[in-house]
Amino acid sequence: MKNEDTNSLFPGLLSEAPKGKIKVVSSINSKAVKPMYFSYSKLSLYEECSLKYKLKYIDKLPEEPKFYFALGNSVHNAMEFMYAVKSPPFPELKDVLKELKREWKTRNWMQKGYNSIAHEAKDYQKAVDMIEAYYEKHHKIFKVPFLLEYRTTVEVDGLKVIIIVDKINYLGNGEIEIIDYKTGKNVSRSTDQVYLYQKICEHDPRLKEKIHQIYGDRVSTLKVKNMEYYYVPGLREIKFERGQEVDIQSLWDRVLKAADGIRAEEFKPNPGELQCKFCDYKAHCPIFTDNKNIITTEKEQINYDKDGAYSKLASLVDEYGKISTRINSFNKELENIKTEIAEVFEKKNIASYSGKNYSLNMKKIEKWHFKNRDAVIGLLKKKGLYDKVLAPVLKNIVDLLSDESITESVKKEIKAQGDKKEVLNFEIKNISEQV
Ligand code: SF4
């Protein structure tokens, strides 16, 4: 999979959060929901650590180049070159390797994120070996694919979802097969990524057009018949049946939940050995800035006992507990200060105030919480309102409550599904010159 998340492609709502402002309380924005640009990478990063998501996509803090992307991108590029013909013959192996070398040389070892020339040279050799082995195994059965590196953006439920599919084969009768190349060691991938591809491909009108242009077939519906992760290092194909409705829906619910969380500005650190180890934002993360001595992600500390048990597990569990306790205590402290400020503001009937370094604005915002998402969606469908919310995200459901075209009795039924809270929204801004 190529990275779908270049800045120029994601100019939507996510990029609009003002820099230098700290939202003390998450709140639902009262402005109309703009379509949000979304991708599999965004979903997985938000679920992994929502604070890291914010620092990357909203604050747009730069990350260091990662050497493992250099290897993956070069192999993907060579695979694309290998198949990019309208009809046979396919390029010879020597030409594919020439293309691999050309792409590899476009950046030096430091720009690619390697810590030494030797490490870079080792990975280049790995890429050469992978391409040679793949070519050797498959070149006699090469087929011209329907599409390579197919990039599309499809709007579904108020989200503009971007996908880049490595290879698509057309099987006839409106059916396609999706192939995603993997160059890492991990062969136990979840189906999330391909299920998202299935959903988006099947909603994509451009694909039907392309089938017509290339094969002359006019298809009314397009169906993903099967999907495959191809592990290039081990020349191993892992095939999947198309996802069932229930699987796709459950993935999509997670996508909508993540989108709700992002719109509500719910961003919390979620420390874990793997995600923190490769995270460039430790200097911006309270877990690391306040607990420098608690967490360590150094490789040499990962030791296994003779019987295979993870000897550090108990201390990791304790570290996790300690950090969680600290986060809770910070949050509690913040809540206490907030309550105190709110009391003074109410007494003095003011809504903003400045300290030496920060200014603070307070707004009262109604916040709804619907415990049973399925019940609300069922009710909306029954009342013919499902299409009206475009996507059953919280903001759109809440908007129905002030929609004049909806009867009071229906609004009452929707309200009965949820709880309304009035929350205080603090918007704090650093006003000191030094910071
Ligand atoms: S260091 Fe860990 S907890 Fe902090 S932002 Fe990065 S991944 Fe999240």
Side-chain angles (χ1 to χ4, degrees), residues 49 51-52 269-271 275-276 279 282 285 287-288:
C49 174
L51 176 63
K52 191 170 174 181
N270 179 30
Q275 62 262 39
C276 296
C279 179
K282 294 188 188 76
C285 172
I287 301 298
F288 280 83

Side-chain angles (χ1 to χ4, degrees), residues 45 48-53 55 268-288 295 297:
L45 186 58
E48 181 183 289
C49 174
S50 55
L51 176 63
K52 191 170 174 181
Y53 177 97
L55 295 168
K268 287 188 199 139
N270 179 30
E273 188 164 351
L274 265 186
Q275 62 262 39
C276 296
K277 184 175 172 184
F278 295 107
C279 179
D280 290 335
Y281 302 130
K282 294 188 188 76
H284 304 270
C285 172
I287 301 298
F288 280 83
I295 281 203
T297 59

Side-chain angles (χ1 to χ4, degrees), residues 399-418:
D399 279 353
L400 293 176
L401 302 177
S402 52
D403 187 325
E404 285 174 10
S405 66
I406 294 170
T407 62
E408 284 310 312
S409 68
V410 172
K411 285 179 188 167
K412 213 169 149 191
E413 280 188 67
I414 297 173
K415 283 179 185 174
Q417 297 288 337

